[in-house]
Amino acid sequence: MIKEIPSESLNPDSFITEHVNDIRKKVVEGTVINALSGGVDSSVVTLLGHRALGARLRTVFIQNGLMREGEPQKVASFFKERGVNVEIIYAEDAFLEALKGITDPEEKREAITQTFYKEVFGRIVRESKARFLLQGTILTDVDETIAGIKRQHNVFEQLGIDPQEAFGYGIIEPLIQLRKDGVRKVGKALGLTEEYYNRIPFPGPALAARIIGEVTRDRLEIVRKATSITENMLSDTGAFQYMAILHEDRVTGMRNGKRDFGNQVEIRCWDSVDARTATPTNLPYETLTALAGEILEQVPGVVSVTYNIAPKPPSTIEAV
Amino acid sequence: MIKEIPSESLNPDSFITEHVNDIRKKVVEGTVINALSGGVDSSVVTLLGHRALGARLRTVFIQNGLMREGEPQKVASFFKERGVNVEIIYAEDAFLEALKGITDPEEKREAITQTFYKEVFGRIVRESKARFLLQGTILTDVDETIAGIKRQHNVFEQLGIDPQEAFGYGIIEPLIQLRKDGVRKVGKALGLTEEYYNRIPFPGPALAARIIGEVTRDRLEIVRKATSITENMLSDTGAFQYMAILHEDRVTGMRNGKRDFGNQVEIRCWDSVDARTATPTNLPYETLTALAGEILEQVPGVVSVTYNIAPKPPSTIEAV
């Protein structure tokens, strides 16, 4: 049982000092490796690891082709300004190949996880001399794994590292007692800008978690555009998280007076403190219809836009 | 080119007198047959035909298993009180058999149309002595047929009546110069109660038009319950039309702390004068979340509810 540190009683500066010391104590020599996704959790853990280890932390950013517009460059340059060198690994083809023909949400996550750990990040870890992995796991991830909502295996097995050999590896998860709100407080104290520590959560499988049905280059292009419009238009709402989801269902629409079976995009915008429970944000009607208008006008093939009105539970934050 | 009678310049009493005379002039002897669906158009045309012909009009109501809760009994008893005898034809099995395995929206409509005209209503017409058909076609139907949004064939061919023989048949479409708002004015003048002449439009393929993917008994049960809840909760909004749509896409939800891939129901509520263009109704947030709450609680297997925010065009009123 992991002991939760509630956000209210968290002192971010003491937390940082304690964990910087802890990391230094664990990693007496050699290097530590971590994968940065650009989300809050991995950004905070990257800065914490960098503060503890400096150049002994090797941070890689895996471009899986499922990212939002301009994401890898944006993240790399942000961290570069803070002295953290981020290595971008281009692996789009490997991910799209692994996702080909898959429509089941669980198989999709599994294909991404396998490609990420075994094929791409696993190879990097195995080829590196690093014996420590730094990970941004938070308490909500642990809860959801226990509840069977997310699946998590032994990370070394995932990396294709032999269980025998795995005794030589160590895993460091400094954020595991925190929830999202606690992570943000720590991020702020570590010098993340508000844009980052208040960044809306974004899932590991990235835009693949925003596509119901098969993930293809074309469908990624649709959801990427819809995501960009949604994030731009909802960024000042103060909501916890907002997203655009591409449905597989085709619905009837009209273009130039003719019937057109097209795509439907679903918008979700959540009010939440820690993602455990959430309610749809009460967005003004004008915002909703303006957002739908932009998506219908700018994203080819979309004829219908909906807004989620169900809370979590029984819904979940992401649809896939 | 059919000449439109705009609602503003429509005098319902003169319209009724004129068309009652016209029907009597056309139908010198024998009987006329019509199919009543319970929608505004067929309800108005039934009362108009009854006023012109009395017992010479034979009105059938085809129970296709795609109806809303209690619909056939409700409609039959309403008309009985007004002196119109409605014959209910039970044909659920024929329709469900024809719909088995079909997911394409056009093929679905076609299967329903074929079963309705050729198999069920066609047989009744062919076996009757009626040489005249009374239909509630309105101008919007004609427009949409021309635009390719709806398909409409020669009705006698549809009924399985030989083209040679069809010269002996006549079709009467008294509402063809009107749009929905005109039909309502005529209905009111004919003594339809507000519940009826202001009844929200309901499509010919009924709940099959509210199901994306295959139409089965189980899926009909889901959308029937969601429809009942939606109609009850939105009846006092003054909206033009409102509906619940069952999606085929499965989305992730949580039940009792466990992952549950479930159904999504989409709510559409339209402001419109004549269905040619429409905008989503600006419903209060409290109404939307209460509606979602009822559906999530009362309809088994549903984990997600959305609200349509796209206008027509490029959307259409119905999704299927």
Side-chain angles (χ1 to χ4, degrees):
Chain A
M1 191 67 189
I2 298 154
K3 193 170 178 299
E4 175 171 354
I5 304 172
S7 167
E8 310 82 68
S9 61
L10 171 72
N11 180 326
D13 292 318
S14 327
F15 180 92
I16 292 164
T17 307
E18 187 188 316
H19 284 277
V20 161
N21 290 336
D22 182 61
I23 293 169
R24 284 178 184 158
K25 209 154 37 175
K26 277 181 180 150
V27 190
V28 183
E29 51 170 11
T31 56
V32 171
I33 194 159
N34 84 308
L36 170 65
S37 72
V40 185
D41 304 340
S42 74
S43 294
V44 170
V45 94
T46 298
L47 289 182
L48 193 65
H50 181 75
R51 186 170 294 192
L53 303 167
R56 287 167 66 207
L57 177 70
R58 181 180 169 200
T59 297
V60 299
F61 182 100
I62 294 171
Q63 162 56 309
N64 55 14
L66 313 172
M67 298 281 155
R68 286 170 290 183
E69 235 151 49
E71 187 75 5
Q73 293 70 27
K74 191 168 142 191
V75 174
S77 76
F78 177 90
F79 280 88
K80 191 168 192 146
E81 283 165 26
R82 276 141 196 90
V84 184
N85 184 46
V86 177
E87 211 176 307
I88 300 179
I89 313 289
Y90 294 89
E92 183 174 6
D93 292 345
F95 283 90
L96 283 176
E97 186 55 42
L99 285 164
K100 200 176 270 180
I102 296 178
T103 57
D104 180 83
E106 272 306 285
E107 290 176 26
K108 209 187 280 182
R109 278 179 187 272
E110 190 62 20
I112 295 166
T113 304
Q114 289 293 326
T115 307
F116 181 87
Y117 282 105
K118 283 246 164 67
E119 200 172 328
V120 183
F121 189 51
R123 189 176 40 75
I124 294 166
V125 173
R126 292 191 305 271
E127 288 172 9
S128 79
K129 300 282 179 233
R131 288 270 144 178
F132 279 97
L133 260 184
L134 182 66
Q135 289 209 138
T137 321
I138 69 168
L139 195 50
T140 311
D141 299 326
V142 178
D143 288 346
E144 296 193 341
T145 300
I146 293 167
I149 294 155
K150 281 186 185 169
R151 293 194 294 169
Q152 207 158 304
H153 306 280
N154 179 305
V155 68
F156 297 113
E157 201 181 297
Q158 280 184 310
L159 291 166
I161 291 165
D162 188 273
Q164 288 285 51
E165 201 183 347
F167 289 107
Y169 283 88
I171 184 160
I172 303 168
E173 293 176 313
L175 310 183
I176 206 154
Q177 293 174 278
L178 305 181
R179 298 203 182 267
K180 202 61 90 179
D181 46 347
V183 176
R184 291 216 179 91
K185 281 175 91 171
V186 174
K188 187 176 181 179
L190 280 165
L192 270 190
T193 56
E194 178 159 2
E195 191 203 336
Y196 265 82
Y197 69 77
N198 254 340
R199 202 168 196 205
I200 57 166
F202 193 70
L207 295 177
R210 306 282 168 81
I211 293 177
I212 298 178
E214 192 183 4
V215 178
T216 64
R217 253 175 246 270
D218 288 350
R219 305 194 75 211
L220 279 164
E221 205 41 53
I222 293 175
V223 82
R224 188 176 282 122
K225 274 196 184 148
T227 298
S228 171
I229 293 166
T230 304
E231 293 192 349
N232 282 336
M233 292 186 73
L234 301 185
S235 65
D236 60 358
T237 56
F240 176 77
Q241 192 171 0
Y242 31 87
M243 63 189 75
I245 298 153
L246 175 60
H247 282 233
E248 189 173 20
D249 285 339
R250 289 296 176 123
V251 295
T252 308
M254 289 170 84
R255 289 280 184 196
N256 310 315
K258 292 276 181 201
R259 173 190 279 272
D260 175 19
F261 284 115
N263 287 303
Q264 181 173 82
V265 166
E266 175 185 347
I267 305 300
R268 294 187 177 189
C269 184
W270 295 107
D271 289 343
S272 180
V273 174
D274 56 19
R276 280 183 295 180
T277 62
T279 50
T281 305
N282 181 0
L283 293 176
Y285 178 76
E286 294 65 32
T287 303
L288 289 172
T289 51
L291 178 55
E294 281 295 297
I295 291 171
L296 292 166
E297 196 180 303
Q298 293 186 31
V299 188
V302 177
V303 298
S304 175
V305 184
T306 61
Y307 183 62
N308 170 60
I309 54 173
K312 170 182 178 177
S315 189
T316 49
I317 302 281
E318 304 281 346
V320 173
Chain B
M1 192 64 191
I2 297 154
K3 194 171 177 298
E4 176 172 354
I5 305 172
S7 168
E8 311 82 71
S9 62
L10 171 72
N11 178 325
D13 293 317
S14 325
F15 181 92
I16 293 164
T17 307
E18 189 188 316
H19 284 277
V20 161
N21 290 336
D22 182 61
I23 292 170
R24 285 177 183 159
K25 209 156 36 178
K26 276 181 180 150
V27 190
V28 182
E29 50 169 14
T31 57
V32 171
I33 195 160
N34 84 307
L36 170 65
S37 72
V40 185
D41 304 341
S42 75
S43 295
V44 169
V45 94
T46 298
L47 289 181
L48 194 64
H50 181 74
R51 186 171 293 194
L53 302 167
R56 288 166 67 206
L57 177 70
R58 181 179 169 198
T59 297
V60 299
F61 182 99
I62 293 171
Q63 162 58 308
N64 55 15
L66 313 172
M67 299 282 154
R68 287 170 288 184
E69 235 151 51
E71 187 75 4
Q73 293 70 27
K74 190 168 144 192
V75 174
S77 75
F78 178 89
F79 280 88
K80 190 166 192 144
E81 283 164 26
R82 276 141 197 91
V84 185
N85 184 46
V86 177
E87 211 177 308
I88 300 179
I89 312 289
Y90 294 89
E92 182 173 6
D93 291 345
F95 283 90
L96 284 175
E97 187 55 40
L99 284 163
K100 199 175 270 179
I102 297 178
T103 57
D104 180 82
E106 272 307 285
E107 290 177 25
K108 210 187 279 180
R109 277 178 187 272
E110 189 63 20
I112 295 166
T113 304
Q114 289 292 327
T115 307
F116 181 86
Y117 283 105
K118 282 246 167 67
E119 200 172 327
V120 185
F121 189 50
R123 189 175 42 75
I124 294 165
V125 173
R126 292 192 305 274
E127 288 173 7
S128 78
K129 300 284 178 231
R131 288 272 145 176
F132 279 96
L133 260 183
L134 181 66
Q135 289 209 139
T137 322
I138 67 168
L139 195 51
T140 311
D141 300 327
V142 178
D143 289 349
E144 296 193 341
T145 301
I146 293 166
I149 294 156
K150 282 187 185 168
R151 294 194 294 171
Q152 204 159 307
H153 308 279
N154 179 306
V155 69
F156 298 112
E157 201 180 297
Q158 279 183 310
L159 290 168
I161 291 166
D162 189 272
Q164 288 285 53
E165 202 184 344
F167 289 108
Y169 283 88
I171 186 161
I172 303 169
E173 292 175 313
L175 310 182
I176 206 156
Q177 293 174 279
L178 305 180
R179 299 204 182 267
K180 202 61 92 180
D181 46 347
V183 175
R184 291 216 179 92
K185 282 175 90 171
V186 174
K188 187 175 181 178
L190 279 166
L192 270 190
T193 54
E194 178 157 4
E195 192 203 336
Y196 265 83
Y197 69 77
N198 254 340
R199 202 167 196 205
I200 57 166
F202 193 70
L207 296 177
R210 306 283 169 77
I211 292 176
I212 298 179
E214 191 183 4
V215 178
T216 64
R217 254 174 245 270
D218 288 350
R219 305 194 74 211
L220 279 165
E221 207 39 54
I222 294 174
V223 83
R224 188 175 283 122
K225 276 197 182 144
T227 298
S228 171
I229 294 166
T230 304
E231 293 192 349
N232 281 336
M233 293 187 73
L234 301 185
S235 65
D236 61 357
T237 56
F240 176 76
Q241 192 170 359
Y242 32 86
M243 64 189 75
I245 298 154
L246 175 61
H247 282 231
E248 189 173 18
D249 286 340
R250 289 295 177 122
V251 296
T252 307
M254 289 170 85
R255 290 279 184 194
N256 310 316
K258 293 277 179 198
R259 174 191 279 273
D260 175 20
F261 285 115
N263 287 302
Q264 182 174 80
V265 166
E266 174 186 349
I267 305 300
R268 295 187 176 188
C269 184
W270 294 106
D271 289 343
S272 180
V273 174
D274 56 19
R276 280 184 295 182
T277 61
T279 49
T281 305
N282 180 1
L283 293 177
Y285 177 76
E286 293 67 29
T287 303
L288 289 172
T289 51
L291 177 56
E294 281 294 297
I295 291 172
L296 293 166
E297 197 180 304
Q298 293 186 30
V299 189
V302 176
V303 298
S304 175
V305 183
T306 61
Y307 184 62
N308 169 61
I309 54 173
K312 170 182 178 179
S315 188
T316 51
I317 301 281
E318 304 282 346
V320 173

